[in-house]
Amino acid sequence: MSVQAEGTFYVQGIGLRPKVHVSADGSGVVGHAGARLLTDLADTTGLTAAYSAALGPLRPRGTGHAPGRIATDLAVMLADGGEAIADLAVLRDQAEVFGPVASTPTAWRLLADVDDTALASLASARARARDVAWLQAAEHGEGIPAARAGGRMLSGLVLDLDATPVTCHSEKQQAAPTYKGGFGYHPLLCFLANTGEALSGRLRPGNAGANTASDHITVLDQALAQIPDAHRHGTDILVRTDSAGSAKAFLTHVRDLRKRGIRSYFSVGYAITEPVRRAIRAMPNRLWHPALDQDGTLREGAEVAELTGMVDLDGYPAGTRIIVRRERPHPGAQLSLFDQDEGLRHQVFLTDTPYPGRGSAQFLEVRHRGHACVEDHIRCGKTTGFGRFPSRDFGINAAWLELSLAAIDLLAWMRVLLLDGELAAAEPKKLRYRLLHVAARLTHGGRRLRLRISTTWPWRHELATAFHRLTALPRPTG
């Protein structure tokens, strides 16, 4: 800061940082100490044991590192923000805290040995761990939280499907040009809106179609297989997608799930075709109703109308409704020629939620708009493994995607089971900065190994509380 006095400028002194001398000879100090919370959570939910059973055949004569333990360590490394298999060094070089961790070549060999059968076994193992985690959540508190829309809690579970391009910067097997002009893969994923868990994912070539009904059916069925039986049957399950999921075959499949005792419903985007445009233009102004925001208040400049009966929906499941929202476009919004002519942005979706109860067009529209949260889940998922694929081999990358889903699940279970307040809703970046990447001192005493977090760390109490809650969780038997 400069101060002027009688034509002279003086520079006010600024406090200097203390000088430090840096050396690489410390001992008893642990980095990423909070990641131990994830390894213990994987053990407590039974994920490590389930992985060990699933990958047992890949361990010849019982020698070397247990494949299940390697898979768990890879998932923990990804949850902690690692981007490459070599990042296992963070865990491996701190063996006093994380135990023996496989070398990078050993981890590579495991991923190379994971074929389609082993991949399915990994997914089944993750489902068994989820069953335990949800039981622990029920005993720990109120169980799996409800998703929300329009200021209300949504009954049951909400599944969000979406595809995303992942750029590959080198030639990889089945990588191809994407619809956005890039080059890489185009995985299709399913997230649980209630918790942010990654239920399923399918690695696909970059030129895979966004609206492929068979892929949507496969990913949805894999996601349903991840849901514990007590929740899969007898609980409302809402399936949300953008317009890529509006294929008649996919929506028919969602409806047919009811024959298997799954109370499934859909809410999917729909293309604005010429018949839809005619219906919108023919809609009287008195039938447009104010749209809602996610907190339940009125959304300024936005209106909703129901087009059911005005657009031919032949071939879609009986009871399918079509609803449109129009609003003043925000800066940068992508507008079609129709939108430009009308001066408003329009979005249309289909749903088979019936009229009674909470079936008003206003509520169903704000409920469908909640599908946008899947973009946040994908953005966070790309920092938790599937934003970069390590190998030229497609099979290895498919295994990497499955372990990335497990990493996302571990972070979600940590939020639900171990955290409160702001951190219970935090994204991975915040969790890593505040909890997982904390440094601590390792001490021995009274036949115990102690991890001592600095008394000056701002979130020391939250981390210590999380460890205490972890020890109190009921352990799976068997």
Side-chain angles (χ1 to χ4, degrees):
M1 177 177 180
S2 299
V3 181
Q4 186 175 10
E6 297 182 357
T8 306
F9 284 88
Y10 300 94
V11 178
Q12 193 172 21
I14 299 176
L16 299 175
R17 301 181 190 275
K19 294 183 179 180
V20 297
H21 175 73
V22 179
S23 64
D25 56 358
S27 61
V29 179
V30 181
H32 293 236
R36 174 60 191 261
L37 194 66
L38 296 175
T39 62
D40 289 355
L41 183 59
D43 296 344
T44 302
T45 57
L47 181 65
T48 307
Y51 271 175
S52 296
L55 299 180
L58 300 184
R59 186 181 188 183
R61 299 181 299 280
T63 59
H65 289 272
R69 175 65 181 276
I70 299 173
T72 299
D73 288 340
L74 284 169
V76 169
M77 178 267 291
L78 291 173
D80 192 44
E83 296 182 332
I85 296 177
D87 290 336
L88 270 177
V90 171
L91 308 183
R92 182 173 55 249
D93 293 346
Q94 301 183 103
E96 274 197 286
V97 177
F98 297 105
V101 175
S103 66
T104 298
T106 300
W108 271 105
R109 285 195 295 270
L110 172 69
L111 292 176
D113 288 341
V114 175
D115 55 14
D116 289 342
T117 300
L119 194 62
S121 297
L122 283 174
S124 297
R126 192 161 54 90
R128 290 195 294 275
R130 191 184 320 281
D131 198 359
V132 173
W134 286 26
L135 287 172
Q136 291 170 333
E139 293 195 23
H140 166 72
E142 299 179 357
I144 299 303
R148 300 183 66 87
R152 306 178 187 176
M153 291 189 296
L154 301 180
S155 63
L157 305 175
V158 180
L159 277 57
D160 286 310
L161 281 75
D162 199 12
T164 182
V166 176
T167 301
C168 294
H169 298 285
S170 62
E171 289 284 348
K172 298 183 187 297
Q173 194 176 34
Q174 297 194 38
T178 68
Y179 73 98
K180 287 194 173 181
F183 180 84
Y185 292 129
H186 192 200
L188 179 63
L189 304 131
C190 179
F191 292 88
L192 181 66
N194 302 62
T195 60
E197 291 167 82
L199 297 181
S200 61
R202 181 178 178 85
L203 189 61
R204 308 184 302 167
N207 56 2
N211 58 347
T212 306
S214 59
D215 287 346
H216 278 77
I217 291 172
T218 297
V219 170
L220 175 60
D221 286 349
Q222 291 174 345
L224 292 171
Q226 287 288 321
I227 299 174
D229 288 343
H231 295 265
R232 186 167 60 250
H233 299 282
T235 301
D236 289 344
I237 297 179
L238 176 66
V239 179
R240 297 189 300 200
T241 75
D242 57 18
S243 59
S246 63
K248 295 177 182 178
F250 175 62
L251 300 186
T252 299
H253 179 75
V254 174
R255 174 63 63 84
D256 288 345
L257 289 171
R258 299 181 190 179
K259 300 174 183 177
R260 293 159 42 187
I262 299 174
R263 294 187 346 214
S264 54
Y265 300 86
F266 60 79
S267 181
V268 301
Y270 189 70
I272 301 180
T273 59
E274 186 56 37
V276 173
R277 296 188 189 101
R278 288 197 298 267
I280 292 173
R281 288 193 174 109
M283 178 65 61
N285 280 329
R286 61 184 173 81
L287 296 182
W288 289 93
H289 304 284
L292 301 176
D293 262 326
Q294 290 299 335
D295 60 1
T297 60
L298 295 182
R299 184 177 177 90
E300 184 178 355
E303 295 176 307
V304 176
E306 181 142 5
L307 302 177
T308 306
M310 302 177 67
V311 178
D312 182 12
L313 295 178
D314 184 47
Y316 286 94
T320 297
R321 302 165 63 184
I322 179 169
I323 297 170
V324 59
R325 181 182 89 251
R326 69 181 184 184
E327 65 180 333
R328 291 194 300 270
H330 58 78
Q334 295 182 352
L335 301 178
S336 66
L337 292 177
F338 173 71
D339 291 338
Q340 292 176 18
D341 289 342
E342 296 293 311
L344 297 168
R345 187 187 186 199
H346 296 79
Q347 290 185 304
V348 179
F349 70 99
L350 306 177
T351 183
D352 63 342
T353 300
Y355 290 95
R358 295 184 172 181
S360 72
Q362 289 169 291
F363 177 71
L364 296 181
E365 190 280 324
V366 73
R367 186 189 69 173
H368 177 73
R369 205 177 335 128
H371 173 66
C373 72
V374 73
E375 298 179 5
D376 293 329
H377 296 321
I378 287 175
R379 173 175 50 80
C380 293
K382 287 184 175 181
T383 70
T384 313
F386 67 75
R388 295 182 62 181
F389 289 97
S391 175
R392 295 179 181 271
D393 183 84
F394 186 83
I396 290 178
N397 292 333
W400 183 267
L401 174 60
E402 173 59 33
L403 294 178
S404 175
L405 302 183
I408 296 169
D409 283 349
L410 283 173
L411 292 172
W413 298 340
M414 181 175 73
R415 289 191 295 263
V416 172
L417 296 173
L418 308 178
L419 301 178
D420 285 324
E422 180 186 5
L423 290 176
E427 291 189 351
K429 182 178 180 179
K430 181 176 290 186
L431 294 176
R432 291 165 188 150
Y433 187 82
R434 295 188 176 186
L435 301 182
L436 301 183
H437 293 176
V438 64
R441 180 169 295 280
L442 199 64
T443 64
H444 300 263
R447 297 185 179 180
R448 287 185 176 183
L449 188 65
R450 298 179 181 271
L451 204 59
R452 306 178 72 92
I453 305 165
S454 171
T455 58
T456 62
W457 187 250
W459 301 281
R460 60 194 181 279
H461 297 303
E462 289 85 347
L463 184 55
T465 298
F467 274 105
H468 293 323
R469 288 179 176 171
L470 181 61
T471 59
L473 290 177
R475 263 53 174 178
T477 60

